Amino acid sequence: MTELKTYLSKKRRKNILAALAFLTLLIASGLGSQVSLSSFLRGLPDMFDLVRRMFTLDFQYIISVMDLVFETFLMAFASSALGVFMACLITFFLPYNTSPSELVSKVLSAVFSVFRTLPSLIWAALLVSFFSAGRFSGLLALSIISFFMSTKLIKEYIEAMNRNDFDFYRSLGIAKGKIYYKIILTKMRKFIVSTFLLCLESNIRSASILGLVGAGGIGQRLWLELNHMNYDRVSSIIFMLLILIFVIDLVSQKLREIEIKVPIKINDLSSYRRSKRLKTLFFILFMLALFLVLRLTINITYERFVLGLKQGGVIISKILTPDLAYLSRAVPAALESVAIAVFASLMGAIISFIFTAFTAANIAPSKKVSVLFKLIINVIRTFPAIITAIIFFRGLGPGPFAGALALTVYTSGMLSKLYFEYIEDIAADSIMSMKALGLSPFTMYAKLIYPKTYRSFLGFVLYRLESNIRNSSVLGLIGAGGIGTLLSMNIAWRNWNRVGSLLLVSSVMIIFFDYLSSTIRKKLL
């Protein structure tokens, strides 16, 4: 009995300390983000007025820009296919169990981690400086992001595979290259398709904001209409993007449910040869389709491309010689970005915890409530965070507070989706046994389900924190505070040495939080 009391006392103290740490982080990050309840309340009427004006659709305008929507889709599709294809070729060198050597694996993994820290909008801004404005710069930026995202996912998938399988293949005398290209890639074809679909969904969202730096697609028109305050047209473009993302999400979900099988069963030499010819034919058709899509998307001449490479070489050489004296401004701006990201992650966690109780179909008060909240969450997570920031600008003015609120809205949508899907996967008999106790849905969720699933919830929050550190830099490009604001200014002024300093600080910041998040997950999850 004494041991039980001691255990409960320790658990209670642990919970109190965790709650105090949470509140301390929330208050500290709120102060760093310049959060002000009075400013928020004063700005509410102006924000509601802007939202009202943005929810007026111009259907004639929608028809007139359908070609730009198609262009955006082509950019996202081509960049996703190109990025995943290149990742399949290169990732062989990254996993410890396929790489030619441990040193190659560690060096390349570290280099790729650094490059992966740069958001697509930063890549686009740099590439526009190389090759001028247009969809070619946007295509390259999205391809780079898809490539680094895919290499990380494929690397982690391969490293998680059964070690005994590798030992078996090696015992047969099969070289690592053949194991990777001939066996592993064939086995993980469904995962590769899922990775492509994930990149496609992400690139559709990213392509809608690359227009901010002149990188083509519907985003370029979106920012033009925003600058001219044509909010009915802005809402029309966002409406089209929501529909496009919804369709892609639906198609992705259906495709992930399809079992990808080898079309020919290999039983003898002739069937093996037929299978090999069919694989070759599929590969040729894929390359032709990718070439045609790229041909339709690329709008740059060979001469301009060569000139862009020369300009890029000069710019990169300046970026690689950073202005260290500028670190005195870069570090405080980076800390402001951290405050924005931490505040958004914590507030998003609180909101998503509440939303999930009304969204998960197996614990929601009713099916209608669940459908309504799922619709709200889908709108929130597909609504570009930068557009949300502009709405908050209307009432609060540019600054870190508006950026923190915009990122909070986006984070709450993403966390809610991850968490309610996880809870919906709980076995039906477990839910029925909880309901048999006569508890209300929210009590059942807060007292029984959350304590069993909080580790997964914490994992989702940590993943979003990593993402928010990157996103806070992007929001800064439109004046939402943090290091992104300085990046935007110095890229526009072509101060490449200072851009190098800012990218250095930004990369160190993101790598540190990636490492911190990974360490916490390993210890607690």
Side-chain angles (χ1 to χ4, degrees):
M1 189 69 178
T2 305
E3 290 181 359
L4 178 60
K5 287 182 178 179
T6 304
Y7 169 77
L8 292 175
S9 177
K10 285 183 178 179
K11 187 176 181 182
R12 197 159 38 244
R13 283 199 301 269
K14 187 178 178 181
N15 290 338
I16 292 171
L17 288 173
L20 287 174
F22 183 91
L23 285 173
T24 302
L25 273 176
L26 184 62
I27 293 169
S29 59
L31 292 173
S33 304
Q34 299 176 19
V35 171
S36 169
L37 182 59
S38 59
S39 298
F40 178 75
L41 294 175
R42 282 197 304 270
L44 272 179
D46 290 331
M47 286 186 269
F48 279 128
D49 177 64
L50 180 55
V51 170
R52 180 186 58 79
R53 293 170 64 186
M54 290 182 69
F55 273 83
T56 305
L57 299 180
D58 184 342
F59 290 101
Q60 289 186 339
Y61 182 75
I62 288 176
I63 296 171
S64 69
V65 294
M66 285 301 292
D67 58 329
L68 290 176
V69 176
F70 181 66
E71 178 184 299
T72 301
F73 174 77
L74 281 182
M75 282 176 58
F77 184 90
S79 58
S80 302
L82 186 61
V84 173
F85 176 70
M86 294 302 298
C88 289
L89 295 179
I90 302 298
T91 308
F92 162 70
F93 298 96
L94 298 178
Y96 70 87
N97 41 4
T98 64
S99 181
S101 73
E102 187 178 351
L103 179 63
V104 171
S105 172
K106 287 184 176 180
V107 171
L108 285 181
S109 295
V111 171
F112 279 31
S113 294
V114 172
F115 282 112
R116 195 164 47 243
T117 61
L118 297 181
S120 57
L121 196 59
I122 303 296
W123 280 110
L126 293 173
L127 290 167
V128 164
S129 301
F130 294 1
F131 301 107
S132 75
R135 57 180 179 268
F136 178 70
S137 299
L139 175 70
L140 273 184
L142 293 175
S143 298
I144 291 169
I145 290 298
S146 298
F147 170 74
F148 287 121
M149 181 192 299
S150 302
T151 53
K152 182 177 188 293
L153 293 172
I154 295 173
K155 172 181 179 288
E156 290 176 350
Y157 184 93
I158 293 173
E159 288 183 340
M161 292 176 73
N162 193 333
R163 192 181 183 89
N164 293 331
D165 292 342
F166 287 93
D167 293 338
F168 172 73
Y169 297 136
R170 292 304 303 275
S171 68
L172 297 176
I174 304 175
K176 284 186 175 181
K178 285 189 176 180
I179 293 174
Y180 175 79
Y181 291 108
K182 298 291 186 181
I183 300 174
I184 294 177
L185 288 183
T186 301
K187 280 189 171 184
M188 59 187 299
R189 54 186 174 268
K190 185 172 181 178
F191 180 78
I192 292 171
V193 172
S194 295
T195 301
F196 164 75
L197 293 171
L198 181 65
C199 290
L200 179 60
E201 294 171 20
S202 174
N203 284 345
I204 287 289
R205 295 182 177 92
S206 297
S208 66
I209 64 170
L210 294 187
L212 175 64
V213 292
I218 191 67
Q220 208 156 328
R221 181 65 65 87
L222 175 65
W223 296 109
L224 177 66
E225 302 298 353
L226 267 172
N227 289 332
H228 288 88
M229 298 184 182
N230 296 324
Y231 295 117
D232 57 336
R233 294 184 172 185
V234 170
S235 60
S236 301
I237 292 173
I238 293 172
F239 174 76
M240 287 188 292
L241 291 173
L242 290 174
I243 296 296
L244 181 59
I245 292 170
F246 173 78
V247 171
I248 290 173
D249 282 348
L250 189 63
V251 172
S252 299
Q253 185 178 350
K254 295 298 180 184
L255 286 177
R256 287 188 181 104
E257 295 171 358
I258 298 173
E259 183 66 32
I260 302 175
K261 298 179 180 179
V262 179
I264 296 177
K265 290 186 177 180
I266 301 174
N267 299 316
D268 50 33
L269 183 61
S270 61
S271 62
Y272 169 76
R273 287 173 177 168
R274 284 201 305 274
S275 175
K276 198 168 183 180
R277 286 196 296 268
L278 191 61
K279 287 180 182 177
T280 304
L281 178 62
F282 281 156
F283 180 76
I284 292 171
L285 289 174
F286 170 76
M287 293 303 295
L288 283 174
L290 182 57
F291 173 77
L292 288 174
V293 173
L294 288 172
R295 186 73 183 85
L296 288 170
T297 309
I298 293 174
N299 62 333
I300 190 171
T301 62
Y302 175 76
E303 293 77 12
R304 185 68 191 86
F305 178 72
V306 172
L307 179 61
L309 289 179
K310 291 180 180 178
Q311 291 179 178
V314 173
I315 291 172
I316 289 173
S317 66
K318 292 181 178 179
I319 289 175
L320 293 177
T321 54
D323 179 4
L324 298 181
Y326 198 65
L327 293 177
S328 59
R329 290 195 64 187
V331 172
L335 293 176
E336 189 172 72
S337 291
V338 169
I340 292 169
V342 171
F343 179 83
S345 300
L346 297 180
M347 283 301 299
I350 294 171
I351 295 170
S352 64
F353 173 81
I354 297 169
F355 269 31
T356 300
F358 301 96
T359 310
N362 49 358
I363 62 171
S366 69
K367 189 174 181 180
K368 290 181 179 179
V369 171
S370 173
V371 171
L372 175 62
F373 271 82
K374 283 180 179 177
L375 178 63
I376 293 171
I377 287 169
N378 280 332
V379 171
I380 288 174
R381 73 185 185 87
T382 53
F383 210 84
I386 286 183
I387 302 297
T388 311
I390 290 171
I391 294 173
F392 285 119
F393 283 173
R394 181 63 178 268
L396 304 171
F401 186 23
L405 289 180
L407 209 51
T408 297
V409 171
Y410 180 72
T411 300
S412 62
M414 294 301 295
L415 280 178
S416 297
K417 183 177 188 296
L418 290 169
Y419 194 38
F420 86 68
E421 286 181 348
Y422 183 83
I423 287 179
E424 285 185 341
D425 287 336
I426 295 175
D429 55 348
S430 298
I431 299 295
M432 289 299 294
S433 62
M434 292 180 195
K435 289 181 177 179
L437 297 174
L439 301 174
S440 66
F442 189 81
T443 303
M444 180 177 69
Y445 163 62
K447 297 291 185 181
L448 298 176
I449 295 176
Y450 176 73
K452 292 182 178 180
T453 60
Y454 84 93
R455 292 179 182 272
S456 298
F457 181 66
L458 178 59
F460 297 148
V461 174
L462 290 171
Y463 275 121
R464 287 315 310 167
L465 174 61
E466 296 173 21
S467 178
N468 285 343
I469 293 290
R470 297 178 178 86
N471 290 336
S472 63
S473 300
V474 173
L475 288 177
L477 290 173
I478 59 167
I483 200 167
T485 300
L486 294 181
L487 265 174
S488 177
M489 288 165 45
N490 285 286
I491 289 174
W493 295 338
R494 302 297 190 262
N495 290 330
W496 300 116
N497 303 104
R498 291 185 173 183
V499 169
S501 301
L502 293 166
L503 292 179
L504 175 64
V505 173
S506 180
S507 298
V508 170
M509 174 182 70
I510 293 170
I511 290 171
F512 170 76
F513 273 91
D514 282 354
Y515 173 77
L516 180 65
S517 175
S518 176
T519 303
I520 293 173
R521 281 199 301 272
K522 286 177 182 177
K523 288 185 177 181
L524 299 181
L525 305 184

